[in-house]
Amino acid sequence: SFCTLLAAMSKWRKAKKSGGHDEEMGAQHQSMLPSAQEEDADRRTAVALIRPDKEVNHYCDNAVATSKYSLIPFAVNFIIWKNLWEQFHKAANVYFLAVSICQVIPGLSPTGRFTTLVPLVLVLTISLCKDAWEDWKRRVSDRLLNSKPATVYRHGKWVTVEWRNVAVGDVCRVAKGEAFAADMVLLWSSGTDGLCYIETANLDGETNLKPRKTPGGVYSSFKAVPTDPEAGVPSPEHLQGSKVVCELPNDRLYAFDGYLERTEGSKLLPRIPLVSDNVLLRGAMLRNTSAILGLVIFTGGDSKLMRNSINKYHKRSDMDRVTNRQIFLVFLLQIILSIVCAIGF
């Protein structure tokens, strides 16, 4: 009937309008999806393997510094200025400094001028010397760590450099019992099926060994490469021109996202995905495996170990916090008593 025809046409118009709306929303959704270039924009720039020395490396170096004071007088972290700033975060020191200022002013205090000032200066000096000694030991420890030897592949041969000179893109050879100089992707392992075992006690306190595995496509590429009798590992020369694109530096110890691209002549091979099981973190040690090869991706302050390190601020105990509140209360009561007595007098 005519009414049925009108109802059918009305349903058809609604369906067409709904379909057009869905198509429009789908187009908007597709436009909001990141393109390949945008997706790689929030990732670390591709890392070329077998890095030439003349290549501009805009990443941070591999030297680390855990000391917090400087010996340069005009620096913000000069030991005297910064240490005094930290010590006067204690309410007791501020309180006794205020008392000392009142005592120094003639006619304001019945006590001696330097009764409080001399003990305060003595306490501040002893604390400064103690903090300076501890900071010096940290500086010495940093120097020893940054000067440890590491074996890297450069100019077609294995050379020994200091940890501070290891750079992003270097291929490192690590032997059993050695620590990893930087965060790196596992390329080859002497273990069965490309497996190796690491100890992460310096990272998470766990002493049990954790397995790490070589990405399948990378491990298979080393099967046809003979082992160098002197180095005890195969040459990574065939990976020249490959690159790794990965996430930006972060503090997530158990997460990693990235991929490795290899070329065969002019042909681009499929991407090899990289996960946390393919990554060796700085601070961990190689165990139960003769040797491994790793590609450096994060160095120095960009490494996950340093990203998880505690900031070098002045530590305050719970006792200091309680004491600060109590001294503030005493100071407030003294002010109130002084005002009341002055009004009454």
Side-chain angles (χ1 to χ4, degrees):
S1 64
F2 182 72
C3 294
T4 305
L5 180 61
L6 288 177
M9 291 179 64
S10 176
K11 291 182 180 179
W12 177 76
R13 289 195 187 98
K14 290 181 179 179
K16 184 177 180 182
K17 183 177 180 181
S18 175
H21 178 69
D22 292 343
E23 291 177 1
E24 181 181 355
M25 292 297 293
Q28 291 179 359
H29 177 69
Q30 290 294 332
S31 64
M32 293 173 62
L33 292 177
S35 62
Q37 291 80 6
E38 293 174 344
E39 182 182 357
D40 290 345
D42 7 341
R43 297 188 176 213
R44 168 152 287 210
T45 308
V47 179
L49 299 181
I50 322 300
R51 180 185 61 84
D53 289 344
K54 293 184 179 180
E55 180 183 347
V56 177
N57 193 333
H58 55 279
Y59 304 118
C60 68
D61 57 30
N62 201 37
V64 296
T66 58
S67 58
K68 59 180 181 179
Y69 297 131
S70 171
L71 298 178
I72 303 176
F74 297 102
V76 178
N77 57 342
F78 181 52
I79 182 170
I80 295 180
W81 321 136
K82 187 170 184 179
N83 188 262
L84 289 178
W85 170 259
E86 293 172 349
Q87 293 199 56
F88 279 108
H89 276 69
K90 295 181 179 179
N93 292 336
V94 178
Y95 174 77
F96 288 115
L97 178 62
V99 173
S100 301
I101 293 174
C102 293
Q103 289 178 339
V104 170
I105 300 176
L108 190 61
S109 174
T111 60
R113 292 188 177 183
F114 306 105
T115 306
T116 305
L117 183 60
V118 172
L120 178 62
V121 171
L122 183 61
V123 170
L124 295 178
T125 303
I126 293 176
S127 298
L128 188 147
C129 293
K130 178 184 70 69
D131 293 340
W133 172 249
E134 292 177 353
D135 194 69
W136 172 256
K137 290 192 294 184
R138 285 193 293 267
R139 191 179 295 272
V140 172
S141 177
D142 293 341
R143 188 180 299 115
L144 293 176
L145 183 66
N146 292 329
S147 60
K148 291 179 66 174
T151 305
V152 299
Y153 191 80
R154 293 179 182 175
H155 300 292
K157 60 181 180 180
W158 295 101
V159 295
T160 301
V161 298
E162 295 182 345
W163 273 27
R164 71 176 82 247
N165 296 324
V166 174
V168 173
D170 279 334
V171 176
C172 292
R173 176 172 63 88
V174 182
K176 179 180 178 181
E178 294 181 352
F180 302 117
D183 293 352
M184 55 185 73
V185 173
L186 182 61
L187 297 178
W188 175 86
S189 172
S190 61
T192 307
D193 297 329
L195 282 175
C196 73
Y197 296 90
I198 63 174
E199 179 184 321
T200 59
N202 293 334
L203 297 174
D204 51 20
E206 298 182 6
T207 55
N208 57 309
L209 302 183
K210 296 180 176 61
R212 292 293 183 267
K213 57 184 178 182
T214 308
V218 181
Y219 178 71
S220 59
S221 67
F222 279 93
K223 292 184 177 179
V225 180
T227 301
D228 187 345
E230 295 183 2
V233 294
S235 169
E237 193 71 36
H238 67 286
L239 294 177
Q240 175 70 32
S242 302
K243 65 179 182 180
V244 167
V245 178
C246 62
E247 60 189 10
L248 295 175
N250 57 72
D251 59 355
R252 299 190 298 270
L253 294 176
Y254 307 107
F256 183 79
D257 178 39
Y259 60 85
L260 185 145
E261 286 185 350
R262 295 186 301 131
T263 56
E264 192 175 281
S266 58
K267 180 183 178 182
L268 181 64
L269 300 179
R271 293 177 176 179
I272 300 175
L274 302 174
V275 294
S276 59
D277 286 343
N278 308 132
V279 178
L280 308 171
L281 300 181
R282 177 183 180 130
M285 299 187 68
L286 183 65
R287 301 293 189 188
N288 295 354
T289 308
S290 300
I292 63 97
L293 296 181
L295 167 69
V296 176
I297 51 175
F298 298 135
T299 54
D302 288 344
S303 63
K304 294 182 181 289
L305 173 64
M306 297 304 298
R307 290 275 174 162
N308 278 275
S309 62
I310 301 176
N311 293 330
K312 298 170 285 187
Y313 59 87
H314 186 65
K315 297 180 180 179
R316 288 194 301 171
S317 63
D318 293 337
M319 180 64 69
D320 289 336
R321 295 186 179 92
V322 173
T323 304
N324 286 350
R325 289 195 295 267
Q326 292 177 346
I327 291 178
F328 178 77
L329 180 61
V330 169
F331 181 74
L332 184 62
L333 290 176
Q334 288 180 341
I335 293 295
I336 295 174
L337 287 174
S338 300
I339 294 175
V340 170
C341 292
I343 294 175
F345 180 77

